[in-house]
Amino acid sequence: MRRITQSVKVGNVGIGSDYPISIQSMLKCKTTNIEECTKQIKELEKVHCDLLRVSVPDKESVEAFSKLLQISNIPLIADIHYSYDLATDVLNAGAKKIRMNPGNMSDFSKIDKLVSELKNHHACIRIGVNAGSTNKQYENLSKVDRIVQSTIDCVSVFENLCFHDIVLGLKSSDIDTMVESNIQIAQKYDYPMHIGVTESGPLTSGLIKSSIGISRLLEKGIGDTVRVSLSSCPVDEVIAAKMILKTFGLKKDVPEIISCPTCARTSINVFDLSQKVEKIVMGYNKDIKVAIMGCPLNGVEEGKNADLGIAGGEKESLLFIKGQVVKKISNDKLLDEFINLVNNYIGEMDND
Ligand code: SF4
């Protein structure tokens, strides 16, 4: 059962128990590199990323952030860390949510100005506390206590200024620390929570750590927006988050790829094909299963739980729907023909 929380809005996306759990990612290039940022934004739009965080480390990035707001159909969150001046500038540029890290803020005296700016711009803030940057005064406490106390201190400052449009995010690369600190804070406040395992690692190991950490919180009803933080492209983060939420039954309309591990019978490049197909079908908010199987002998049979699929052959492959072969296709046209089949299948679903 999902925890009941307050809610905030970032553009047209709500965060909190009044809304579905949103998925976010982060741009992974210089914010001033508008061309590369635009490319990443458009890729993320295709896979339906809900929210996108952008680092704003300097004045030039504020200007770039302002341009990206015009380009992006995904609401952008400005990641500031600690500079009040940059926070003010980026709010003036149009940011509706900023992220600050209280462990990196040595001076809370300017916070009343920041709160005025947040109120003026109807913007919200994520107080994002990381295990590596908690308040110095708590050095002797356990990791969990350091994160929890740093969060409480920062929340009190905002609450004393009557500001409550807050999202809390408590992260660590250590799963137990991350989970325990989030549980403690979720018991104390009803602010929406951003969950994830920070710096979780490269794709494979990062996925495992993130899935376990995020799942342990979702099981307890904690989590209103999710980021799977990976040393990989942002699209991978979104696909991973979608699959975690789908597996928990918290997001239904997510395509699922079934693909065989391959063996000596494999005739097509299943690894490459399954990755390409996954990125394309993730553009559909549909609850469908797609199978990419390496051979005709076992492929159709083993993939028949899928709605539709490919069973690869030497020169030609079979396309099937619900276990029934519907077409034989030359391997050089396989991806295009299969995507046509998927499009037609989804078109028929929409007409039903
Ligand atoms: Fe091997 Fe065919 Fe099974 Fe794939 S589906 S693992 S190619 S037997």
Side-chain angles (χ1 to χ4, degrees), residues 159-344:
E159 287 184 335
N160 289 339
L161 293 164
C162 299
F163 188 78
H164 302 278
D165 290 338
I166 293 170
V167 177
L168 297 175
L170 287 67
K171 293 197 180 175
S172 168
S173 58
D174 176 70
I175 294 175
D176 287 339
T177 304
M178 187 281 283
V179 170
E180 183 52 33
S181 23
N182 274 281
I183 290 173
Q184 288 191 25
I185 284 293
Q187 284 166 348
K188 186 168 174 62
Y189 299 109
D190 67 350
Y191 294 118
M193 311 251 332
H194 165 128
I195 60 169
V197 179
T198 195
E199 298 137 14
S200 68
L203 190 58
T204 308
S205 48
L207 280 174
I208 293 167
K209 281 177 74 175
S210 293
S211 305
I212 292 172
I214 291 168
S215 301
R216 281 174 59 187
L217 290 175
L218 291 175
E219 259 173 4
K220 295 191 177 298
I222 299 170
D224 302 289
T225 182
V226 175
R227 180 184 176 204
V228 178
S229 169
L230 298 170
S231 303
S232 188
C233 70
V235 166
D236 285 340
E237 296 189 348
V238 174
I239 293 174
K242 281 183 159 189
M243 288 315 300
I244 293 171
L245 295 180
K246 180 177 174 113
T247 308
F248 263 84
L250 293 166
K251 194 169 175 64
K252 282 199 173 58
D253 296 337
V254 178
E256 184 177 339
I257 303 289
I258 298 167
S259 58
C260 79
T262 81
C263 70
R265 294 190 182 93
T266 311
S267 306
I268 55 171
N269 188 339
V270 172
F271 298 167
D272 182 58
L273 197 59
S274 56
Q275 282 182 18
K276 284 182 177 151
V277 169
E278 183 178 53
K279 285 203 167 82
I280 294 169
V281 297
M282 281 293 164
Y284 297 104
N285 285 329
K286 295 287 176 196
D287 184 14
I288 55 167
K289 269 190 196 160
V290 175
I292 312 293
M293 311 302 281
C295 71
L297 195 65
N298 291 347
V300 178
E301 185 60 21
E302 289 178 13
K304 78 177 177 195
N305 288 332
D307 294 294
L308 66 174
I310 294 172
E314 284 277 327
K315 292 195 172 120
E316 292 180 318
S317 297
L318 305 174
L319 306 188
F320 58 91
I321 295 180
K322 309 268 187 207
Q324 299 298 313
V325 175
V326 293
K327 208 167 189 179
K328 195 185 251 193
I329 199 78
S330 145
N331 283 351
D332 56 354
K333 296 184 184 141
L334 193 50
L335 181 63
D336 289 345
E337 287 282 343
F338 186 60
I339 293 306
N340 283 341
L341 187 76
V342 173
N343 286 336
N344 290 340

